[in-house]
Amino acid sequence: MEELRQLCKHASDVKISVGMLDSDTKDRVLTDAAAALIASEEAILKANEEDIERAKSNHMPDGLLDRLTLNHDRIAGMADGLRQVAALDDPIGEVLSMKKRPNGLIIGKRRVPLGVIGIIYEARPNVTADAFALCFKTGNCVILKGGSDAICSNIAIVDALKSALVKNHVTESALSLITSTDRSTTMEFMKMDEYVDLLIPRGGHGLIQNVVKNATIPVIETGTGNCHIYVDAEADLPMAVRIIKNAKTQRIGVCNACESIVVHKSVEKEFLPMLYEALSPKNVELRTDASALACLGNDHLLVKEATEEDWGTEYLDYILSVKTVENIDEAIEHINHYTTHHSEAIITNNYDRAQHFLDAIDSACVYVNASTRFSDGNEFGFGAEIGISTQKLHARGPMGLEALTSYKYIIYGNGQIRE
Amino acid sequence: MEELRQLCKHASDVKISVGMLDSDTKDRVLTDAAAALIASEEAILKANEEDIERAKSNHMPDGLLDRLTLNHDRIAGMADGLRQVAALDDPIGEVLSMKKRPNGLIIGKRRVPLGVIGIIYEARPNVTADAFALCFKTGNCVILKGGSDAICSNIAIVDALKSALVKNHVTESALSLITSTDRSTTMEFMKMDEYVDLLIPRGGHGLIQNVVKNATIPVIETGTGNCHIYVDAEADLPMAVRIIKNAKTQRIGVCNACESIVVHKSVEKEFLPMLYEALSPKNVELRTDASALACLGNDHLLVKEATEEDWGTEYLDYILSVKTVENIDEAIEHINHYTTHHSEAIITNNYDRAQHFLDAIDSACVYVNASTRFSDGNEFGFGAEIGISTQKLHARGPMGLEALTSYKYIIYGNGQIRE
């Protein structure tokens, strides 16, 4: 506990100086860190093997084991990631606005780092390098708490990253790894609001909710996406099929995948069989309301009646819920009620209803005639992504580097006093 | 408790429709609300008398009693405030950026309301109208919990404001007043994160800390200002005296008043007696370190040696702490350690040190050669002020209407799917 406090305090003590590093130095550190990862491949793979052996003896499921596993290509990928972040523009120091007031004061709004950022994540060692790159690029100190199953890998990766800090005479406290694998340490960490300015949980729903409920540090909530696509009475139906197929099946386990569709009753008879035909080769199960069920017939293996629970479920699987409605307002009400406020789309050629949907849907990303799968920092042109925020304060939707910054007002005077 | 939940739920249920009101309607409501306040003067003053009588019998101190008291001019002032907010530009709907991606998607970032905003404040009935105006202008529903000593006044004011909503066919749930004066209700209110998007405490340090510690709703922390002015070796000393006198004495009980000065030792002998001479007619007590004490002599009634506690104290009184330093870095370290991150100033004619101070001071507003008293939404040209944030997330420094908004991405496609 005292050790954790000291670690957080050290980060807080150096945050001003780290925040003032020039872009060249930061980019050199990131490039050197990429080289250090490559040079340390042997040590990192050896440490990773230790983690994998322990995980196997603890019967870790295959999917998680795969995410824990490093190899030559994955280390090269981590190094590439560091170099890509180095190549981005530095957002720090940008003056967002500046104006002269009638009394001659010149007031500017300058982008600055947040300070100390804590990242709590699962046993995915690639996040270690990624989180460091994004936080350091934005002049923040970062404190990492990775999943304990990856502890040896994380220590080896952080050693390599720190060597780049040392080489460039930057304080090592710019990057800290919490090495205690005790659960109570994570709980204590979430309450270090005296030293840590922001906490970002990266991982599954359970991890995120644990952080949101227990942290006294401000949190940016990311991730959960119960995304809807509404097929309007005036939709281009073949386009609707293509978009829904893409949003549902192009990648299954991601937060911007479509989990539920809402269909106008005037097109359900024509549309639902078309959709079924497109999705059944992918074994997508449809969970529908009674009206849709009547259109499809319930003799299909892949069609079931939905329960109330289905409307609120993010399946992350080959399942899609299907709701039918009498009009767009019913669709909007349904979506706003069950959504996690991530991404929703309308498929329509009707101008008014497209605009109305954009206005009335209370989600981070609202689409007309496109797949929800585009909700992504890279697809939005941000160059990097920290996550996708489903909250409204500070940052909403895909978060680029700017989400890791704050601002301060700088004011140039020549003796002004207030009358 | 169930009543409170219903009240919060009603606000949440209507937030989308309130958020979609056009500017004309919102401005008409605010103008009508101003007229309704004037028309209801008799009822409001009668209710206010009830509050005052009860407060007097509870021996409320004079200062608080003054803030509770309404009269003809103060009601006219509240009405003016509503009209001023009506006259401001509506920030909602502004498209902050919009661009076309290589795949043809047009991605825009549109300013939207936050949703439901809770305001917890003290027995100052004028805040009731003010908070409604700012939240409603930005398309938010507002739930007010005012000090229980002002409950009758608040009910009368809210009645008048609501009549303007009704007149314009806007749901009354756009404005809610929690009428229970039970302390436990306030505690329950802070935990209504299911329905309330943001909580802003307005008032003294105790109220704000109570909200920060107990709320599960995100909070914007405002207010505390232990503001410093650093007098550099190359300061224009008469300017430094003018600025410090202004920042300390122009208004005493405000968060942007100067509470502490830091003086370079090379000018302390010349500067401190000048300052003493300027401040002693105002009876400003100086609490100094040993070096400053030696310059001033400790035979003055208004000079005392400072204790460690003084450096961290926001006096809100005719007291100023005085620290002397060998160089600017010592000054910066001292300030960053003891500041509440509100507003600080350097007085200097040295270019490098002015820039270094702007870079290194970790506060919302950093000044060169001007009084800290300018940290204010109106002085910054925002037209209105919700408060001054001393946190880094979401909003920092003086907050205008924009601080009560979020954004969403609106994306226009023509059939794009992700490959």
Side-chain angles (χ1 to χ4, degrees):
Chain A
M1 169 64 187
E2 184 49 32
E3 200 180 332
L4 175 68
R5 175 175 296 276
Q6 282 306 316
L7 179 149
C8 294
K9 184 174 184 303
H10 284 149
S12 179
D13 285 347
V14 302
K15 71 180 179 185
I16 308 281
S17 65
V18 171
M20 288 169 68
L21 290 172
D22 57 65
S23 305
D24 283 349
T25 304
K26 291 190 286 190
D27 293 345
R28 215 159 40 229
V29 166
L30 292 173
T31 314
D32 288 345
L37 280 183
I38 301 285
S40 309
E41 178 174 324
E42 199 181 315
I44 294 171
L45 289 181
K46 197 162 161 246
N48 188 241
E49 251 170 56
E50 265 187 72
D51 286 335
I52 290 168
E53 271 174 39
R54 200 177 51 249
K56 278 182 178 166
S57 69
N58 291 339
H59 310 291
M60 181 183 270
D62 283 353
L64 297 182
L65 208 56
D66 177 58
R67 292 160 97 175
L68 172 61
T69 303
L70 293 177
N71 54 36
H72 173 79
D73 286 351
R74 288 185 176 181
I75 291 176
M78 286 161 62
D80 270 349
L82 286 163
R83 283 189 216 100
Q84 277 166 27
V85 173
L88 294 173
D89 283 341
D90 185 351
I92 297 304
E94 185 190 356
V95 175
L96 303 165
S97 66
M98 184 172 248
K99 60 185 168 191
K100 196 168 186 170
R101 298 289 305 154
N103 61 4
L105 280 182
I106 297 168
I107 302 183
K109 189 176 180 179
R110 180 198 279 179
R111 197 186 287 287
V112 298
L114 280 168
V116 180
I117 298 177
I119 314 265
I120 298 182
Y121 55 109
E122 291 164 344
R124 301 182 61 177
N126 64 310
V127 174
T128 306
D130 187 37
F132 166 68
L134 299 168
C135 292
F136 186 72
K137 177 81 183 190
T138 43
N140 295 290
C141 294
V142 63
I143 302 177
L144 302 172
K145 176 69 190 77
S148 48
D149 292 317
I151 185 65
C152 297
S153 315
N154 285 340
I155 289 173
I157 292 166
V158 165
D159 276 351
L161 300 173
K162 282 203 175 201
S163 73
L165 292 169
V166 172
K167 186 178 165 194
N168 289 283
H169 312 291
V170 175
T171 169
E172 286 186 67
S173 295
L175 166 62
S176 312
L177 176 71
I178 297 173
T179 52
S180 161
T181 55
D182 204 333
R183 266 183 164 274
S184 67
T185 307
T186 311
M187 292 297 284
E188 293 296 342
F189 179 44
M190 296 182 204
K191 298 185 192 301
M192 289 286 163
D193 50 272
E194 190 180 344
Y195 306 114
V196 183
D197 297 284
L198 173 65
L199 208 52
I200 304 180
R202 288 181 62 165
H205 185 67
L207 180 142
I208 291 168
Q209 285 310 306
N210 183 32
V211 173
V212 167
K213 288 218 175 70
N214 293 296
T216 58
I217 303 167
V219 173
I220 293 186
E221 198 171 338
T222 61
T224 325
N226 182 24
C227 304
H228 295 76
I229 296 178
Y230 168 57
V231 181
D232 183 53
E234 289 182 51
D236 173 334
L237 296 185
M239 182 200 281
V241 169
R242 277 198 310 277
I243 287 175
I244 293 169
K245 185 180 172 189
N246 179 259
K248 179 71 253 179
T249 69
Q250 193 248 352
R251 213 175 143 198
I252 270 298
V254 289
C255 59
N256 54 20
C258 176
E259 305 289 3
S260 188
I261 64 165
V262 183
V263 180
H264 194 282
K265 283 192 198 291
S266 70
V267 295
E268 61 176 344
K269 285 202 180 63
E270 185 183 356
F271 177 67
L272 288 173
M274 288 168 65
L275 183 70
Y276 180 82
E277 203 179 304
L279 294 183
S280 56
K282 296 264 185 186
N283 286 308
V284 177
E285 179 182 310
L286 304 180
R287 301 211 182 150
T288 76
D289 64 9
S291 175
L293 201 64
C295 298
L296 286 163
N298 57 4
D299 53 338
H300 296 291
L301 272 175
L302 290 168
V303 179
K304 269 191 194 173
E305 186 149 5
T307 64
E308 168 65 22
E309 204 192 334
D310 279 299
W311 308 126
T313 300
E314 184 190 22
Y315 300 113
L316 301 172
D317 201 351
Y318 289 94
I319 307 170
L320 183 71
S321 66
V322 182
K323 166 87 183 166
T324 60
V325 292
E326 297 282 353
N327 55 55
I328 188 174
D329 285 320
E330 199 188 326
I332 288 168
E333 198 174 318
H334 175 84
I335 294 171
N336 279 337
H337 184 77
Y338 290 103
T339 181
T340 54
H341 309 287
H342 191 297
S343 300
E344 334 288 339
I346 182 174
I347 316 297
T348 190
N349 284 319
N350 181 288
Y351 176 82
D352 279 343
R353 289 203 286 274
Q355 298 293 351
H356 183 54
F357 193 85
L358 291 173
D359 289 346
I361 290 291
D362 187 24
S363 294
C365 306
V366 191
Y367 294 82
V368 179
N369 295 342
S371 169
T372 54
R373 287 280 291 115
F374 289 105
S375 293
D376 173 282
N378 291 304
E379 293 293 336
F380 273 38
F382 297 165
E385 186 195 279
I386 292 96
I388 297 178
S389 163
T390 51
Q391 66 181 45
K392 287 190 186 171
L393 224 57
H394 187 71
R396 195 179 195 198
M399 296 188 288
L401 290 174
E402 292 176 6
L404 299 180
T405 68
S406 179
Y407 55 85
K408 73 175 167 194
Y409 290 100
I410 53 172
I411 303 112
Y412 297 95
N414 51 8
Q416 282 83 352
I417 59 173
R418 192 155 165 196
E419 307 298 346
Chain B
M1 169 65 185
E2 185 49 33
E3 200 179 332
L4 175 68
R5 175 176 296 277
Q6 283 306 316
L7 180 148
C8 294
K9 185 174 183 307
H10 282 151
S12 178
D13 285 346
V14 303
K15 70 179 179 185
I16 307 280
S17 65
V18 170
M20 288 169 67
L21 291 171
D22 58 65
S23 306
D24 283 350
T25 305
K26 291 191 287 189
D27 294 345
R28 215 159 43 229
V29 166
L30 292 173
T31 315
D32 288 346
L37 279 183
I38 302 284
S40 309
E41 177 172 327
E42 199 181 315
I44 293 171
L45 289 181
K46 194 160 166 252
N48 187 242
E49 251 170 55
E50 265 187 70
D51 285 334
I52 290 168
E53 271 172 39
R54 200 178 52 250
K56 277 182 178 164
S57 70
N58 291 337
H59 310 292
M60 181 183 270
D62 283 353
L64 296 183
L65 207 57
D66 178 58
R67 293 160 95 176
L68 172 60
T69 303
L70 294 176
N71 55 37
H72 173 79
D73 286 350
R74 287 185 177 181
I75 291 175
M78 286 162 61
D80 271 349
L82 286 164
R83 283 188 217 102
Q84 278 166 28
V85 173
L88 294 174
D89 283 341
D90 185 351
I92 297 303
E94 184 189 356
V95 174
L96 303 165
S97 67
M98 184 171 249
K99 60 185 166 192
K100 195 167 188 172
R101 298 290 304 153
N103 61 3
L105 281 182
I106 298 167
I107 303 183
K109 189 176 179 179
R110 180 198 279 179
R111 200 186 285 287
V112 298
L114 279 168
V116 180
I117 298 177
I119 314 265
I120 298 183
Y121 55 108
E122 291 163 341
R124 300 182 62 176
N126 64 311
V127 174
T128 306
D130 186 37
F132 165 68
L134 298 169
C135 292
F136 186 73
K137 177 82 184 188
T138 43
N140 294 291
C141 294
V142 62
I143 302 177
L144 303 172
K145 175 68 189 78
S148 48
D149 292 319
I151 185 66
C152 297
S153 314
N154 285 340
I155 290 173
I157 293 166
V158 166
D159 275 352
L161 299 174
K162 282 202 175 201
S163 72
L165 292 169
V166 173
K167 185 176 166 197
N168 290 283
H169 313 290
V170 175
T171 169
E172 286 186 68
S173 295
L175 166 62
S176 312
L177 177 71
I178 297 173
T179 52
S180 161
T181 55
D182 203 331
R183 264 182 167 273
S184 67
T185 306
T186 311
M187 292 296 283
E188 293 296 341
F189 179 44
M190 295 183 205
K191 300 187 191 299
M192 289 286 164
D193 50 274
E194 190 181 344
Y195 306 114
V196 183
D197 297 284
L198 174 66
L199 208 52
I200 304 180
R202 288 180 63 164
H205 184 68
L207 179 141
I208 291 169
Q209 284 310 305
N210 183 33
V211 173
V212 167
K213 289 220 175 69
N214 292 298
T216 58
I217 303 168
V219 173
I220 293 187
E221 198 172 338
T222 61
T224 325
N226 182 25
C227 304
H228 295 76
I229 296 178
Y230 168 57
V231 181
D232 183 53
E234 289 180 52
D236 173 336
L237 297 184
M239 182 201 282
V241 169
R242 279 198 309 277
I243 287 175
I244 292 169
K245 184 179 173 189
N246 179 260
K248 178 73 253 180
T249 69
Q250 193 247 354
R251 213 174 142 199
I252 269 299
V254 289
C255 59
N256 55 20
C258 176
E259 304 290 2
S260 187
I261 64 166
V262 182
V263 180
H264 194 281
K265 282 191 198 292
S266 70
V267 295
E268 61 176 345
K269 285 203 178 64
E270 186 182 355
F271 176 68
L272 289 173
M274 288 168 66
L275 183 71
Y276 180 83
E277 204 179 304
L279 293 184
S280 57
K282 295 265 186 182
N283 285 310
V284 177
E285 180 181 308
L286 303 181
R287 301 211 183 150
T288 76
D289 64 8
S291 176
L293 201 66
C295 298
L296 287 162
N298 55 5
D299 54 337
H300 296 290
L301 272 176
L302 290 169
V303 180
K304 269 192 194 173
E305 186 150 4
T307 64
E308 168 64 24
E309 203 193 333
D310 279 300
W311 308 127
T313 301
E314 183 190 21
Y315 300 113
L316 300 172
D317 200 352
Y318 288 94
I319 307 171
L320 183 71
S321 66
V322 182
K323 165 86 182 166
T324 60
V325 292
E326 297 283 354
N327 54 57
I328 187 174
D329 285 319
E330 199 188 326
I332 288 168
E333 198 173 318
H334 175 84
I335 294 170
N336 278 338
H337 184 78
Y338 290 103
T339 180
T340 54
H341 309 286
H342 190 299
S343 300
E344 333 288 339
I346 183 175
I347 315 298
T348 190
N349 284 320
N350 181 288
Y351 175 82
D352 279 343
R353 288 204 286 274
Q355 297 294 351
H356 183 55
F357 193 84
L358 291 174
D359 290 345
I361 290 291
D362 186 24
S363 294
C365 306
V366 191
Y367 293 83
V368 179
N369 295 341
S371 170
T372 54
R373 287 280 293 115
F374 289 105
S375 291
D376 174 280
N378 290 305
E379 292 293 336
F380 273 37
F382 297 165
E385 186 194 278
I386 292 98
I388 298 178
S389 162
T390 51
Q391 66 182 46
K392 287 189 187 171
L393 225 56
H394 187 72
R396 196 179 193 196
M399 296 186 289
L401 290 174
E402 292 176 7
L404 299 181
T405 69
S406 179
Y407 54 86
K408 73 176 166 195
Y409 290 100
I410 53 171
I411 303 111
Y412 296 95
N414 51 9
Q416 283 84 352
I417 59 173
R418 192 155 164 197
E419 307 298 345

